[in-house]
Amino acid sequence: MPLSLILAALWALIANILAVLPSRDHHWRKAYALIAFGIPILGYVTYENGPWVGLVVMVAGMSMLRWPVIYLSRWARRKSSALRDHG
């Protein structure tokens, strides 16, 4: 198995362990750290295994970090509707 997939699996294991631990800020600091480490790992997976495997790993990561993705999509929707209404 390529090193990139081992790192991605390790990232997923750490994400699941962190999700079980209690948190005062509803896991947001942990999510930021996971995103900071996950993006380079995702790039490495895509570089080493191709775009389809990278897409599968990205979807898996997005399913674990679903709230940051939901908030980002809401923010993008608000910005696009504001640009549409204003311009």
Side-chain angles (χ1 to χ4, degrees):
M1 184 183 321
L3 176 63
S4 61
L5 291 180
I6 293 170
L7 291 173
L10 184 63
W11 181 92
L13 178 68
I14 291 169
N16 282 296
I17 290 170
L18 290 176
V20 175
L21 300 174
S23 175
R24 288 180 182 248
D25 67 347
H26 302 287
H27 302 286
W28 279 104
R29 279 190 219 138
K30 295 172 187 175
Y32 293 141
L34 286 169
I35 291 167
F37 284 104
I39 290 174
I41 291 172
L42 177 63
Y44 186 37
V45 167
T46 305
Y47 174 75
E48 209 172 62
N49 300 293
W52 290 110
V53 177
L55 185 65
V56 169
V57 171
M58 183 181 74
V59 169
M62 287 172 61
S63 73
M64 284 185 248
L65 295 172
R66 63 187 169 276
W67 283 108
V69 173
I70 289 169
Y71 284 127
L72 178 65
S73 65
R74 287 179 184 169
W75 175 82
R77 222 176 300 135
R78 273 195 318 268
K79 287 293 184 184
S80 68
S81 68
L83 287 174
R84 222 174 326 133
D85 295 340
H86 198 301

